[in-house]
Amino acid sequence: MRINRIAAKKLQTEPKEVDLSLIDSLIKKYKGKNGNLIPILQGIQAIYRYLPESALRKISDETGHKLSDIYGVATFYAQFRLNPVGKNIIKVCHGTACHVQDAKNITTALKEHLKIEDGQTTPDGLFTLESVACLGCCSLAPVMMIGDDTFGKLSGKSAVKVIRDIKKKENN
Amino acid sequence: MEKLKLIVGMGSCGIAAGAGKVFDKIKYLQNNEQLDIDLDQTSCVGMCYREPLVEIIDNNISYLYGGIDEEKVEELIEHHQKFHLPIKELVVKTEEFKTIDNEFTDSQVKIALRNCGYINPERIEEYIANNGYKAITKIAENSLSQEQIIQNIIDSGLRGRGGGGFLTGLKWRFANNNKNAEKYIICNADEGDPGAFMDRSVLEGDPHSVIEGMIIGAYAIGANDGVIYCRAEYPLAIKRLNIALAQAREKGFLGKNICGIKNFNLDIHVKEGAGAFVCGEETALIASVEGERGMPRKRPPFPAASGLWKKPTNINNVETFANIPWIIFNGAKEYAKYGTEKSKGTKVFALTGKINRGGLVEVPMGITIKDIIYKLGGGIQNGKKFKAVQLGGPSGGCIPAYLDDTIVDYDSVNATGAIMGSGGMVVMDESTCMVDMARFFLDFTQKESCGKCTFCRIGTKRMLEILTRITEGEGKEGDIEKLEELSYQIKDSSLCGLGQTAPNPVLTTIKYFRNEYEAHIRDKKCPAKSCTKLLTYEVISENCTGCTICAVNCPTNAIDGGKKTIHFIRQDACIKCGACLTKCNFDAIKIS
Ligand SMILES: Cc1cc2nc3c(=O)[nH]c(=O)nc-3n(C[C@H](O)[C@H](O)[C@H](O)COP(=O)(O)O)c2cc1C
Ligand code: FES
């Protein structure tokens, strides 16, 4: 059930000051338009990469959407995040084709390597691990996507190697 | 001698396989080595198993090359410039000679995919040069009435490709009957089935065909506003749609008095979905476009009476729309030539799983499952045995190998307990556990249930618990019966298609693979050797070198044995994580 997502995504205290002036133009663009809530939230997430609580409160104050409605929509759709994410989001595909080709081995190997659970972010803020459904390259299954790069025909080992390479680059 | 022309297949799948790098390399050669060649891009032709694909046109002869990387492309260019002849081993398709990949292409009939992989989707001129926007001009020039078009679509026998299979022309008639001044036309590009990518390929490869289909639909029902609801996970599709819409506006195919048809005004916008499977259901989709939680509501009223913003609305799938211009241009009779009595035309499938040639295929209705798997798909990977094929994703079911004579049409597929669905076709071999497949799909629907109906919300959860138990060796007598009972209750008491079809994967696997369920429950065995909790890991003494790597990596210290001695796994301490199997460099761990 989609409501399950609420418990897992409790609003936590915000990491640092959120610059709310960034969303002014967004509010101006959509204010008063029918069906604007999802585009506004998508816009906020495009700016901060997640939905900061203070931004949601501001939207509620300025557009008249009830905070509870905003929260309802934000928790209904898989795209929206209520917590900050790591620099690199690892999306491991668990679509049907990838499942048949043992995608769970990829997630297990990455969980072990990064020492985090699915959906969590590493303490250094470098990686967030996520499961997604079908990235649309089923013929390359099992697949994962990091940023705009897609990696196919993976094994647990090769997936971990990709992560190691990124870490190396980040540390240089 | 004409200039060489290179065309790189830049669909999402091609880019994932490395097409972007190949494209950049050719560009680099063009710029830095002053190579006198033309470079262009197209989208996916469906041969995903051969990506990245590069087409070289040499002296007006086209050669499509597969499996091309940055090195090979340089070699190809050099070879063609020198000899003007192909490197035969790498050719997957040409008019000049046959290749083994002809089996993949020859049984296909491309209507919805007519331009995918052949034109540059970002240039409207190329679409127009391939009979694009000729259907809407034909309507304008011959002053075809709304009724004539609707009748034409009914005569073609086209049924909705989004899964329901409802006669498209009839749906249009309902929307047309309503004489409200404001109406909407919506294209459903939410493509939720996790393992299918037909709609994405069409949007990426030929966005104008969908737009023209929507324009014709809007004219037929009298709509003046259009929405394409596309999932946000398809950034390339969204980008190309927006490019195409801007071009169509510029050329006057969108806007006021389109093609000179008086008072026919239409604009179309893209709405990005935000990730919820249930939003593929039409009433939930409408709620989502309105900016709400995507909860389905009771029908009637159907969208044709009261849809988006309470106005009459017609919703069709991407592939449905892509067929429309072809039907209007070539005639209903031509379309109805393909297919069976009650299922006309062609259907696009995303062929994936344990198949040799995975990709996108468009086949005439009436072809057998066997032909798709063996002729087009080239059989099962690694010479394993074909076990079953899953149609229709989480709403569908599986068809076992012994029914591979089943023909692909709505009624024959329904008779097996599966559904035609939107076109996901996942092939499974002997190493796929059917109980685990059922669990996989139920896990998906359980998470995606919007929570409105009790049986769908809680029933799927209980079913998932039972299935998880069975795959973990905790199954009990009576579990199968309980699953069946819950299935029928969920089907009967759910409001929307999600709940009504969620039990299908379970029911069909029980129907055709009951023995596998029983093996899990009674013998605590997984015949496909896939459910990890039911496996035993053992050391093969002949292969063990005593390197200790398994023992070091065992998280529970369940492996005994020192350096240079044969190791031994204590079953009571083993948690079956498989770490020893993946770490062993000498193939000395076996599972049974
Ligand atoms: C849970 C659920 C998910 C659906 N997902 C999709 C989808 O992703 N794409 C789609 O075109 N239709 C989907 N449908 C079917 C639509 O409700 C609708 O029937 C279809 O878009 C109508 O278009 P058609 O007549 O051209 O098939 C879904 C239905 C249900 C119940
Ligand atoms: S199922 Fe993983 S890419 Fe399609």
Side-chain angles (χ1 to χ4, degrees):
Chain A
M1 184 195 23
R2 306 200 66 80
I3 295 165
N4 280 352
R5 297 164 25 81
I6 295 176
K9 297 210 165 183
K10 245 192 285 164
L11 286 167
Q12 42 163 241
T13 43
E14 263 150 37
K16 39 182 166 7
E17 279 298 299
V18 176
D19 179 3
L20 291 178
S21 64
L22 295 175
I23 57 174
D24 287 340
S25 60
L26 200 67
I27 294 174
K28 217 162 111 200
K29 182 171 169 199
Y30 286 108
K31 196 169 174 174
K33 284 206 182 134
N34 271 346
N36 60 4
L37 185 50
I38 293 176
I40 289 178
L41 294 181
Q42 283 169 334
I44 297 177
Q45 186 152 302
I47 295 170
Y48 305 104
R49 304 181 73 223
Y50 78 107
L51 303 176
E53 184 183 337
S54 51
L56 299 186
R57 287 189 188 279
K58 177 164 166 162
I59 294 294
S60 170
D61 290 344
E62 301 205 5
T63 64
H65 283 292
K66 285 200 209 83
L67 193 59
S68 58
D69 284 344
I70 298 179
Y71 190 62
V73 170
T75 49
F76 186 83
Y77 294 100
Q79 186 189 17
F80 297 125
R81 304 191 185 87
L82 297 174
N83 290 320
V85 281
K87 194 164 167 199
N88 300 287
I89 300 175
I90 310 170
K91 296 182 178 169
V92 183
C93 178
H94 284 262
T96 319
C98 290
H99 177 79
V100 173
Q101 305 278 23
D102 291 328
K104 62 174 185 263
N105 288 350
I106 313 294
T107 296
T108 313
L110 292 178
K111 277 200 313 206
E112 238 171 64
H113 179 75
L114 297 167
K115 306 211 164 40
I116 50 174
E117 287 302 309
D118 201 9
Q120 291 182 338
T121 303
T122 50
D124 60 4
L126 268 187
F127 297 101
T128 298
L129 184 61
E130 284 187 352
S131 297
V132 296
C134 197
L135 294 167
C137 356
C138 311
S139 45
L140 301 174
V143 177
M144 72 175 177
M145 196 168 169
I146 303 177
D148 287 334
D149 294 325
T150 313
F151 304 88
K153 302 221 154 106
L154 291 170
S155 64
K157 264 188 203 158
S158 62
V160 168
K161 185 169 177 299
V162 171
I163 303 302
R164 280 215 180 95
D165 290 346
I166 294 178
K167 252 194 214 159
K168 244 187 240 157
K169 250 193 235 150
E170 296 279 351
N171 290 338
N172 280 339
Chain B
M1 222 27 65
E2 296 233 354
K3 246 195 216 181
L4 276 191
K5 181 166 183 181
L6 276 79
I7 307 170
V8 183
M10 301 273 275
S12 286
C13 43
I15 294 174
K21 288 190 191 121
V22 174
F23 190 86
D24 291 344
K25 172 81 182 195
I26 304 173
K27 219 170 188 165
Y28 173 87
L29 293 174
Q30 245 183 343
N31 294 338
N32 294 33
E33 317 228 325
Q34 320 292 319
L35 274 191
D36 192 25
I37 45 178
D38 279 332
L39 173 60
D40 204 354
Q41 61 165 334
T42 182
S43 197
C44 173
V45 274
M47 297 174 131
C48 303
Y49 63 101
R50 288 287 227 158
E51 303 274 17
L53 293 163
V54 177
E55 183 183 353
I56 296 190
I57 301 174
D58 190 349
N59 272 326
N60 291 321
I61 305 173
S62 145
Y63 303 98
L64 184 65
Y65 288 101
I68 301 304
D69 56 20
E70 291 152 275
E71 271 167 40
K72 280 198 193 129
V73 79
E74 201 168 358
E75 187 187 326
L76 278 177
I77 296 173
E78 225 169 82
H79 187 91
H80 271 276
Q81 284 194 322
K82 230 188 244 165
F83 306 110
H84 295 283
L85 286 171
I87 302 184
K88 273 197 159 179
E89 317 81 81
L90 296 177
V91 176
V92 293
K93 203 179 156 206
T94 176
E95 298 284 306
E96 296 295 291
F97 49 86
K98 281 210 175 287
T99 68
I100 51 161
D101 296 282
N102 272 61
E103 292 174 358
F104 184 78
T105 47
D106 286 354
S107 319
Q108 297 195 46
V109 176
K110 299 218 172 176
I111 295 179
L113 301 178
R114 60 194 175 279
N115 292 323
C116 288
Y118 299 107
I119 65 168
N120 183 334
E122 298 185 8
R123 273 210 299 271
I124 191 170
E125 295 78 15
E126 295 198 16
Y127 176 69
I128 293 175
N130 286 284
N131 294 330
Y133 291 109
K134 294 267 166 62
I136 184 67
T137 2
K138 179 176 169 184
I139 291 171
E141 280 165 7
N142 299 307
S143 314
L144 295 181
S145 70
Q146 295 179 325
E147 183 49 36
Q148 277 172 311
I149 292 167
I150 291 173
Q151 193 56 46
N152 219 314
I153 300 298
I154 292 181
D155 291 343
S156 76
L158 175 66
R159 294 168 68 165
R161 299 295 190 236
F166 193 79
L167 214 52
T168 304
L170 203 55
K171 197 154 145 183
W172 287 12
R173 179 166 286 159
F174 292 147
N176 178 279
N177 283 344
N178 197 314
K179 294 300 171 205
N180 201 307
E182 265 181 79
K183 292 185 199 174
Y184 289 97
I185 189 142
I186 298 182
C187 172
N188 188 344
D190 196 41
E191 194 152 62
D193 173 358
F197 50 92
M198 303 75 51
D199 295 349
R200 195 210 58 203
S201 290
V202 174
L203 295 172
E204 283 180 4
D206 195 15
H208 286 289
S209 68
V210 180
I211 295 170
E212 190 180 0
M214 285 181 77
I215 296 172
I216 296 168
Y219 173 74
I221 67 162
N224 32 32
D225 203 354
V227 176
I228 302 175
Y229 185 86
C230 185
R231 48 189 317 212
E233 289 92 332
Y234 288 174
L236 189 60
I238 293 171
K239 182 185 138 203
R240 290 191 178 155
L241 270 174
N242 281 320
I243 293 175
L245 286 169
Q247 292 170 339
R249 275 181 214 122
E250 199 175 297
K251 295 250 179 218
F253 294 117
L254 290 174
K256 298 234 155 28
N257 302 318
I258 294 167
C259 292
I261 304 174
K262 256 220 150 90
N263 296 327
F264 176 37
N265 310 329
L266 174 75
D267 200 10
I268 299 176
H269 297 278
V270 179
K271 263 273 186 210
E272 275 182 49
F277 174 63
V278 72
C279 286
E281 198 278 337
E282 49 190 25
T283 59
L285 186 151
I286 289 171
S288 179
V289 174
E290 292 176 354
E292 316 252 318
R293 292 165 67 92
M295 308 277 260
R297 63 158 176 77
K298 218 173 89 202
R299 296 177 305 180
F302 284 91
S306 170
L308 186 58
W309 309 116
K310 304 251 177 328
K311 300 280 189 284
T313 303
N314 181 77
I315 302 184
N316 281 120
N317 164 262
V318 171
E319 192 187 329
T320 314
F321 278 127
N323 279 305
I324 301 284
W326 194 96
I327 295 173
I328 297 292
F329 184 75
N330 295 286
K333 264 209 192 112
E334 199 58 29
Y335 189 78
K337 263 210 261 180
Y338 300 104
T340 61
E341 198 199 331
K342 287 195 181 143
S343 306
K344 297 293 183 200
T346 58
K347 176 80 198 89
V348 181
F349 287 101
L351 189 58
T352 61
K354 309 273 178 107
I355 186 110
N356 276 323
R357 291 197 283 256
L360 207 65
V361 298
E362 181 168 2
V363 288
M365 297 270 191
I367 191 174
T368 60
I369 301 267
K370 197 196 271 163
D371 278 351
I372 295 184
I373 290 177
Y374 292 101
K375 257 203 204 145
L376 281 91
I380 307 298
Q381 284 174 356
N382 305 323
K384 287 201 176 148
K385 233 173 88 190
F386 169 44
K387 183 167 178 181
V389 54
Q390 166 82 21
L391 284 182
S395 308
C398 67
I399 299 180
Y402 70 85
L403 290 179
D404 65 3
D405 282 330
T406 306
I407 59 168
V408 171
D409 77 2
Y410 288 95
D411 305 293
S412 314
V413 172
N414 283 350
T416 66
I419 61 164
M420 180 83 102
S422 59
M425 190 179 265
V426 184
V427 178
M428 296 173 267
D429 69 9
E430 52 197 320
S431 66
T432 319
C433 170
M434 301 314 283
V435 187
D436 178 62
M437 272 327 277
R439 194 199 57 76
F440 168 77
F441 283 118
L442 221 75
D443 181 49
F444 180 82
T445 35
Q446 189 270 135
K447 282 186 188 137
E448 294 294 335
S449 165
C450 78
K452 186 167 183 163
C453 308
T454 319
F455 278 83
C456 175
R457 181 180 70 237
I458 300 172
T460 52
K461 177 111 184 138
R462 293 289 95 84
M463 283 179 76
L464 177 64
E465 284 165 4
I466 297 174
L467 286 165
T468 308
R469 235 183 34 226
I470 296 176
T471 55
E472 290 180 348
E474 309 285 330
K476 295 193 287 249
E477 282 303 324
D479 274 351
I480 300 180
E481 291 71 22
K482 203 175 274 165
L483 282 173
E484 286 175 325
E485 192 193 331
L486 276 168
S487 292
Y488 291 116
Q489 287 177 351
I490 295 170
K491 273 166 118 36
D492 287 344
S493 36
S494 296
L495 178 67
C496 85
L498 191 145
Q500 287 160 8
T501 58
N504 284 353
V506 179
L507 287 175
T508 49
T509 44
I510 292 180
K511 180 170 170 192
Y512 296 116
F513 297 97
R514 199 182 182 100
N515 56 343
E516 278 194 37
Y517 279 83
E518 287 166 352
H520 281 77
I521 295 171
R522 294 195 189 137
D523 315 330
K524 312 288 174 217
K525 283 216 164 77
C526 174
K529 294 191 190 163
S530 155
C531 297
T532 36
K533 288 252 167 91
L534 299 181
L535 305 175
T536 10
Y537 288 81
E538 280 165 327
V539 175
I540 306 172
S541 338
E542 300 87 71
N543 292 356
C544 181
T545 61
C547 73
T548 74
I549 193 161
C550 59
V552 173
N553 282 289
C554 177
T556 54
N557 292 326
I559 306 182
D560 292 339
K563 229 178 164 82
K564 301 246 163 90
T565 58
I566 292 169
H567 284 53
F568 174 77
I569 303 177
R570 273 180 291 110
Q571 295 304 331
D572 55 336
C574 174
I575 55 161
K576 312 182 201 260
C577 66
C580 49
L581 182 72
T582 36
K583 293 286 178 200
C584 180
N585 295 321
F586 303 97
D587 290 329
I589 308 282
K590 70 167 179 208
I591 36 176
S592 51

